[in-house]
Amino acid sequence: MNDRVMPFAGIHNFRDYGGYQGRDGQIVRGKFYRSGQHHTATAADLATVDNIGITTVVDLRGDSERRRYPCARGAAFAAQVLFAVGETAGAGGAAHAVAAREVKTADDAFAAMTDLYSFMPQRPNLQAVLRQYLRSLAEGDGANLVHCFAGKDRTGLAVALVHCLMGVHRDDVMADYLLTNTAGNSAARIAAGAESIRRSQPAASDEAVARLMSVDAAYLDAAFATIDGEWGCPENYARDVLDADGARLETIRRRMIA
């Protein structure tokens, strides 16, 4: 699956999440992307992003993250940028930084991230931008990019949800989610996230930082346990919370599935 990972110098975890078999066919390649923030993008990175032809960017970050880490843009950038007002990861900051506040050890990190994911589907501001994400998949033209800070937690949940709604097998959903751990330069990604983690919790061990900046099947399972427990299934969650009824999901399927 590593052929879907695009090498960038300053954008971490940028990859194509198409190509998986859905209920009615395969999700098309070259139109649906996910990544981390673009604040540290190089000029060459930005030129590559411009050449992809992205017309819609869904920024899952909250207000404080967008202020602290504004995304760099290339000279030809003309995409519509969608976001929600407020904080999307609790009290503010990236999801891994929020989880880090009471973390010192790797075990602490695992427990904190699992807990964070269990509440993620219920966060009103994240729900608000997920509504925009699904609407953009139904109504937008051209390529679509969804990202947060590290491109692994809020983005991981968002893409996993879309994969599920498109009928991708849960094994493939999880495989795409876990690809974060090996996509691109993982050491550089962990180092980039360490800054915000150390600001939240200076006492976090190196092992805790690595755990916070990685993904684990248990994290995503915790999020879907909440969705299944509160709403019964991802389709009900999409309908009742994200304004994506059967007709909208069918429109998304027609656009995403070849």
Side-chain angles (χ1 to χ4, degrees):
M1 291 189 296
N2 283 334
D3 69 325
R4 67 181 63 250
V5 179
M6 301 182 65
F8 286 93
I11 306 175
H12 299 296
N13 208 7
F14 196 113
R15 62 190 202 256
D16 185 331
Y17 64 88
Y20 294 102
Q21 183 66 34
R23 186 177 299 109
D24 304 311
Q26 193 173 79
I27 298 176
V28 298
R29 294 288 299 265
K31 291 194 69 173
F32 305 102
Y33 298 93
R34 54 178 292 179
S35 78
Q37 51 85 12
H38 296 195
H39 178 69
T40 54
T42 66
D45 291 340
L46 297 176
T48 300
V49 171
D50 287 346
N51 289 336
I52 290 172
I54 292 169
T55 57
T56 304
V57 174
V58 183
D59 189 341
L60 301 176
R61 299 177 301 165
D63 292 346
S64 61
E65 296 167 274
R66 293 195 307 275
R67 285 193 301 266
R68 182 180 289 273
Y69 304 104
C71 283
R73 303 300 186 195
F77 182 84
Q80 178 187 31
V81 180
L82 305 176
F83 60 88
V85 175
E87 302 298 342
T88 60
H96 58 267
V98 171
R101 289 171 183 162
E102 303 299 327
V103 163
K104 293 183 180 179
T105 69
D107 287 344
D108 293 341
F110 178 84
M113 290 298 292
T114 305
D115 189 57
L116 181 144
Y117 268 76
S118 70
F119 286 101
M120 206 182 296
Q122 299 173 317
R123 296 199 179 281
N125 292 336
L126 183 57
Q127 292 172 352
V129 70
L130 289 176
R131 287 187 200 102
Q132 296 184 73
Y133 176 41
L134 292 185
R135 187 177 304 116
S136 75
L137 292 175
E139 300 175 358
D141 294 320
N144 183 293
L145 169 69
V146 59
H147 77 89
C148 54
F149 182 87
K152 69 183 190 70
D153 299 317
R154 288 162 292 184
T155 299
L157 174 60
V159 171
L161 178 63
V162 167
H163 277 156
C164 283
L165 294 173
M166 294 301 99
V168 174
H169 192 281
R170 282 289 181 108
D171 289 348
D172 289 332
V173 174
M174 186 62 76
D176 187 80
Y177 172 75
L178 293 176
L179 188 55
T180 283
N181 289 337
T182 56
N185 188 337
S186 58
R189 176 179 53 78
I190 291 170
E195 175 193 353
S196 57
I197 291 171
R198 298 294 187 198
R199 192 164 47 245
S200 296
Q201 176 51 279
S205 68
D206 290 345
E207 293 78 12
V209 170
R211 179 66 65 89
L212 289 164
M213 288 304 299
S214 301
V215 293
D216 191 288
Y219 304 163
L220 190 61
D221 285 343
F224 277 104
T226 295
I227 289 172
D228 294 341
E230 293 292 325
W231 292 279
C233 63
E235 288 77 10
N236 290 349
Y237 179 68
R239 181 194 65 208
D240 297 342
V241 178
L242 305 182
D243 297 337
D245 59 12
R248 173 159 288 175
L249 292 183
E250 181 56 33
T251 300
I252 295 172
R253 286 190 190 98
R254 286 198 301 269
R255 182 171 180 235
M256 294 191 76
I257 302 291

